Amino acid sequence: MLEIKNLHVKLEEEEKQILKGVDLTVEDGKVHAIMGPNGSGKSTLSYVLSGRDGYEVTDGSATLDGEDLLEMEPEERAAAGVFLAFQYPVEIPGVGNMTFLRTAVNAQRKARGEDELSAADFLKEVRAKAKSLKIDADMLKRPVNVGFSGGEKKRNEILQMAMLEPKMCILDETDSGLDVDAMKLVAEGVNALRDEGRGFLVITHYQRLLDHIKPDVVHIMADGKIVKTGGPDLALEVENNGYADILAEVN
Amino acid sequence: MALPEVKQTATEARLANLVMPDAGCTRAAREDALARVLEMGLPGRRDEYWKYTRPDTLVAPEAPRAALFDPDEAMLFADLDRLKIVFVDGVFSPEQSDDLTLEGVTIDRIEDICFKDIHWAKELYGVLEARGQSPVQRPLAALNTAFAADGIAIHVSGKPSKPISFIYRHASETSDAMLHHIIRVESGAEVTILENGPAASRFNKCMEIDIADGGVLHHVRAQGRDHERRAATHMFTRLGQESVYKSFTLTVNGVLTRNEQVVELTGDDAVAHVAGACVGDGDFHHDDTVFITHDAVNCESRQVFKKVLRNGATGVFQGKILVKEGAQKTDGYQISQSLLLDDDSQFLAKPELEIYADDVACSHGSTSGAIDETALFYLRSRGVPTKEATNMLTLAFLAEAVDEIEDDALSQAIVDRLEGWMSRHS
Ligand SMILES: Nc1ncnc2c1ncn2[C@@H]1O[C@H](COP(=O)(O)OP(=O)(O)OP(=O)(O)O)[C@@H](O)[C@H]1O
Ligand SMILES: [Mg+2]
């Protein structure tokens, strides 16, 4: 279970408060969606949860199954089960996708005191999972995300997620840049991972994705806070009417 | 023109300690080379070409003492099938070397051919070095031609089944070695030359390579890990039509290294790639100086140099592409980059293009930067620990240079060395 309480975050380098008291609990087995206007702090929340530099937590807490995430290094959070599918996946020239995946999988296993996956088992697993996401062998061999199309990058994120089997999956606009078919593939990939023990936090601007990945709870974030929480209908309301009504109502 | 007094004195002091070998057929070449040294003088601190690298210790009459070092890892290329030619402190060791017969090549000690009348050797010894003295002077190479006491002559007429591997052992703390090798690759022949080892406390090595039309030479070198060793090396390569020269150098440690590559593309459609990866920690100064002359049509040259520097290490790159009049359709590429793992290290680069033909595509770029923080976070967010992630990115940075090695076993051997360095130095 991911529990975020009264989380306040400012930029490290400047006096700019971005998150202004976020409260959010994602229970195991549930899918929570976050929507909200551009610049409201959704990506910042995802970065702070995964441990990116440049942010300072000024108040509040974030725990996964009771463990304080904010005290951990990014790699420790990953080993504890946090996974962020990036809004903008990073290109890494010179590092093969396959090598990267294998290093990541084995590093996490090692951190958890488990045996490393043998080369053969790894290969078998990665091939099967890549196939279901329509990621071809060539993409696996190429350097991480280099020369991938926008949609390919997003599918590659989901492949990493499938290989790492995290406890808490955070998806930051994984639907943006995807064509209709790719969106279905990605949604299937996500749905295949839905499990009693696993929580999802899905950041999106569009109802469309939520047609495929049915959320249990929908939150609206505005100006660094969760301003409204509801069921799947809330996403429909946003789709139809935008944020104006909701924001007016809160103010 | 008289030399400046400091230079004159330094040159005389150095020459006073040297004796020209009793040299048979190379005698004339050696005397010419000595005349060049006297005319140019040895490199001094004020020379433009030595602006970033202090030549003092390379020129001094005595080699600075260099402690012997036990690298505590298997010799590079140890499990590779190759013909081994071993030198200890710059002296050929028949006991440690393999039998020098191999189909497709003739291998002789320079000392031995000097007294035979082998014409190709006479036409090569000192010849490319002399050509390479213009437009930039390289006095240490001329010094080498004049005084090198040992070296190997390789005549390649076929495609030998295995690489020829020079192994340079360092056995004395005060050794001062000069080696001069010459290689002639005949038309359509192909050979791979390997070099590794620290060689001596101070090592001056010169290699002249003449590749006839359609010949191919691959060169992979790793300069030994002895921390205190110093080296000044020159490779002079002349390429005929449709010939190929691919050279890669790995440098790990060594207090001072200056590697000069002088390449002349004289036949149409020739290809020359020179690449280097160096990793330095602390008291480490590494200089790649490259001069590529395009003097034929439709030739390709690539220079790919990558340096990883930390704890005050210094990297230097001086690279030039000269495209002569008439060398149309030249494709020249040059990149030199450094990855600075801290603020104390520095990279000094002087890329140059000089072009006298109008239909050419030449590009050059030089950058210096730190580890990409965004990439580092991405890797860590997937669970890769910081140190491992940094090493992955470091190897990735070096990859473009290492990828210049065509043979997979050789490039894997180099990657293993780099990984070893990273595990020791991070
Ligand atoms: N490193 C940074 N430097 C400066 N401003 C930043 C930084 N990180 C975030 N911000 C600012 O914080 C605010 C929240 O950004 P964030 O990326 O979290 O928004 P978002 O809700 O994900 O927006 P979008 O829907 O456009 O992706 C924005 O105003 C953004 O400009
Ligand atoms: Mg965002």
Side-chain angles (χ1 to χ4, degrees):
Chain A
M1 185 168 69
L2 174 71
E3 275 188 291
I4 303 168
K5 288 190 186 145
N6 192 32
L7 191 63
H8 284 72
V9 171
K10 69 181 266 296
L11 291 178
E12 214 166 52
E13 302 275 300
E14 12 172 332
E15 286 312 310
K16 184 172 174 185
Q17 196 74 33
I18 300 178
L19 300 184
K20 302 173 179 171
V22 175
D23 287 287
L24 181 69
T25 299
V26 182
E27 307 81 5
D28 292 347
K30 299 287 188 213
V31 175
H32 286 229
I34 300 188
M35 303 179 83
N38 293 132
S40 54
K42 305 180 297 297
S43 292
T44 301
L45 175 64
S46 71
Y47 285 144
V48 170
L49 291 175
S50 50
R52 186 175 178 146
D53 278 347
Y55 303 100
E56 187 184 328
V57 176
T58 51
D59 202 1
S61 65
T63 60
L64 184 66
D65 299 335
E67 282 189 85
D68 184 359
L69 288 178
L70 302 177
E71 282 299 307
M72 298 182 199
E73 295 296 325
E75 53 268 39
E76 293 169 334
R77 300 181 198 208
V82 176
F83 179 91
L84 167 64
F86 283 54
Q87 181 171 0
Y88 304 107
V90 180
E91 297 188 5
I92 315 185
V95 175
N97 213 8
M98 204 70 144
T99 313
F100 163 57
L101 272 170
R102 195 161 158 221
T103 310
V105 168
N106 283 333
Q108 292 202 14
R109 293 177 79 102
K110 200 168 146 197
R112 290 193 293 255
E114 300 163 14
D115 283 342
E116 293 195 352
L117 215 55
S118 78
D121 288 346
F122 170 79
L123 211 62
K124 217 161 89 188
E125 204 176 318
V126 92
R127 283 202 179 126
K129 287 177 172 163
K131 197 171 164 206
S132 65
L133 286 161
K134 295 221 162 68
I135 291 174
D136 60 29
D138 179 55
M139 265 173 72
L140 289 175
K141 273 191 229 138
R142 270 156 54 188
V144 181
N145 293 325
V146 177
F148 288 25
S149 74
E152 286 169 345
K153 286 181 183 167
K154 296 301 177 81
R155 276 185 278 151
N156 201 28
E157 294 290 288
I158 301 304
L159 174 63
Q160 293 167 31
M161 188 167 92
M163 289 302 297
L164 294 168
E165 301 181 329
K167 274 221 66 190
M168 182 64 223
C169 307
I170 306 167
L171 280 68
D172 191 358
E173 292 194 32
T174 301
D175 52 337
S176 65
L178 292 181
D179 64 36
V180 186
D181 296 330
M183 168 111 68
K184 277 194 192 135
L185 278 178
V186 162
E188 280 165 21
V190 172
N191 288 331
L193 280 169
R194 287 182 74 158
D195 176 283
E196 278 174 11
R198 183 171 290 133
F200 288 86
L201 191 57
V202 180
I203 299 169
T204 182
H205 286 295
Y206 305 106
Q207 159 64 26
R208 235 174 11 167
L209 178 70
L210 303 179
D211 282 342
H212 300 290
I213 307 173
K214 295 261 184 301
D216 299 291
V217 184
V218 175
H219 307 273
I220 307 297
M221 182 180 253
D223 193 22
K225 273 189 284 208
I226 303 289
V227 293
K228 189 164 182 178
T229 296
D233 291 351
L234 189 52
L236 277 173
E237 193 186 325
V238 168
E239 182 90 355
N240 294 330
N241 307 330
Y243 292 109
D245 292 354
I246 296 171
L247 296 183
E249 185 188 315
V250 208
N251 293 330
Chain B
M1 204 178 67
L3 294 173
E5 201 182 316
V6 197
K7 197 177 263 251
Q8 181 77 37
T9 315
T11 304
E12 279 168 11
R14 176 67 178 125
L15 291 176
N17 265 9
L18 292 167
V19 182
M20 192 180 288
D22 179 16
C25 76
T26 60
R27 167 122 242 142
R30 288 177 188 270
E31 273 165 4
D32 286 353
L34 176 57
R36 284 195 289 280
V37 174
L38 291 168
E39 194 192 319
M40 297 185 277
L42 290 173
R45 223 191 278 183
R46 309 176 81 119
D47 295 1
E48 180 65 21
Y49 216 44
W50 289 86
K51 191 169 166 184
Y52 303 122
T53 298
R54 290 182 60 161
D56 318 32
T57 53
L58 298 172
V59 168
E62 308 278 349
R65 181 176 287 271
L68 301 181
F69 174 75
D70 177 10
D72 198 23
E73 63 185 340
M75 267 297 244
L76 186 63
F77 309 133
D79 40 16
L80 207 79
D81 187 24
R82 58 198 167 131
L83 186 138
K84 295 193 281 291
I85 303 179
V86 180
F87 293 85
V88 180
D89 287 324
V91 180
F92 175 66
S93 165
E95 303 78 34
Q96 297 183 44
S97 300
D98 290 335
D99 174 18
L100 300 185
T101 44
L102 179 64
E103 200 174 319
V105 290
T106 314
I107 304 171
D108 289 286
R109 213 173 157 183
I110 297 256
E111 196 179 273
D112 297 333
I113 60 163
C114 279
F115 297 97
K116 297 178 197 162
D117 193 24
I118 298 183
H119 69 280
W120 75 267
K122 252 195 296 193
E123 283 162 17
L124 189 52
Y125 191 93
V127 171
L128 297 187
E129 175 264 299
R131 284 175 73 93
Q133 296 295 349
S134 154
V136 191
Q137 297 182 344
R138 308 172 198 281
L140 288 173
L143 185 77
N144 182 299
T145 300
F147 295 101
D150 215 332
I152 294 288
I154 302 176
H155 185 255
V156 188
S157 53
K159 297 187 175 175
S161 58
K162 52 185 170 188
I164 295 166
S165 179
F166 290 111
I167 296 163
Y168 304 124
R169 300 220 154 96
H170 181 200
S172 149
E173 291 193 351
T174 53
S175 57
D176 187 17
M178 273 197 228
L179 284 180
H180 194 113
H181 304 309
I182 54 173
I183 303 174
R184 162 83 182 170
V185 182
E186 290 301 343
S187 188
E190 178 166 352
V191 70
T192 297
I193 303 290
L194 308 176
E195 295 184 279
N196 70 294
S201 295
R202 180 169 71 181
F203 189 38
N204 177 333
K205 195 209 66 184
C206 184
M207 194 183 268
E208 296 177 282
I209 300 171
D210 194 18
I211 311 177
D213 296 353
V216 177
L217 187 136
H218 292 275
H219 171 244
V220 177
R221 155 170 72 168
Q223 294 173 311
R225 273 180 53 201
D226 293 29
H227 301 297
E228 295 174 4
R229 63 150 188 84
R230 287 156 210 275
T233 76
H234 289 83
M235 302 196 59
F236 296 93
T237 307
R238 177 168 62 187
L239 286 99
Q241 210 170 310
E242 287 176 35
S243 66
V244 175
Y245 169 59
K246 291 193 176 173
S247 170
F248 172 89
T249 299
L250 169 74
T251 310
V252 178
N253 292 9
V255 66
L256 176 62
T257 308
R258 161 100 161 196
N259 292 328
E260 296 195 26
Q261 289 261 8
V262 184
V263 178
E264 211 184 341
L265 297 133
T266 62
D268 296 349
D269 307 303
V271 173
H273 292 190
V274 287
C278 88
V279 289
D281 188 345
D283 197 3
F284 173 92
H285 184 106
H286 187 275
D287 176 337
D288 280 301
T289 290
V290 182
F291 197 112
I292 295 190
T293 306
H294 282 261
D295 196 11
V297 175
N298 200 33
C299 292
E300 172 192 309
S301 73
R302 274 174 75 83
Q303 303 173 43
V304 183
F305 288 88
K306 303 267 184 159
K307 297 174 199 276
V308 175
L309 305 166
R310 65 199 302 260
N311 281 327
T314 300
V316 175
F317 175 77
Q318 307 190 95
K320 178 155 182 169
I321 306 175
L322 168 64
V323 181
K324 289 200 173 171
E325 208 182 321
Q328 302 297 8
K329 309 260 186 254
T330 286
D331 177 2
Y333 173 80
Q334 179 195 90
I335 183 112
S336 63
Q337 294 181 308
S338 75
L339 176 62
L340 304 178
L341 295 178
D342 53 43
D343 295 336
D344 302 334
S345 304
Q346 60 170 344
F347 177 54
L348 305 159
K350 190 179 175 196
E352 283 181 285
L353 289 178
E354 195 178 328
I355 301 176
Y356 299 100
D358 47 24
D359 183 15
V360 302
C362 285
S363 67
H364 66 113
S366 183
T367 63
S368 202
I371 282 275
D372 177 352
E373 289 296 331
T374 314
L376 186 63
F377 172 64
Y378 190 66
L379 291 172
R380 293 175 70 197
S381 79
R382 297 311 185 233
V384 184
T386 313
K387 183 178 157 177
E388 211 176 333
T390 305
N391 290 351
M392 277 178 99
L393 294 174
T394 304
L395 260 191
F397 166 78
L398 294 167
E400 189 187 359
V402 178
D403 285 349
E404 288 290 329
I405 305 171
E406 277 183 19
D407 183 278
D408 289 342
L410 293 177
S411 76
Q412 190 54 52
I414 296 296
V415 167
D416 291 347
R417 289 285 135 151
L418 288 167
E419 283 176 341
W421 182 84
M422 289 188 294
S423 68
R424 292 189 304 272
H425 292 266
S426 57

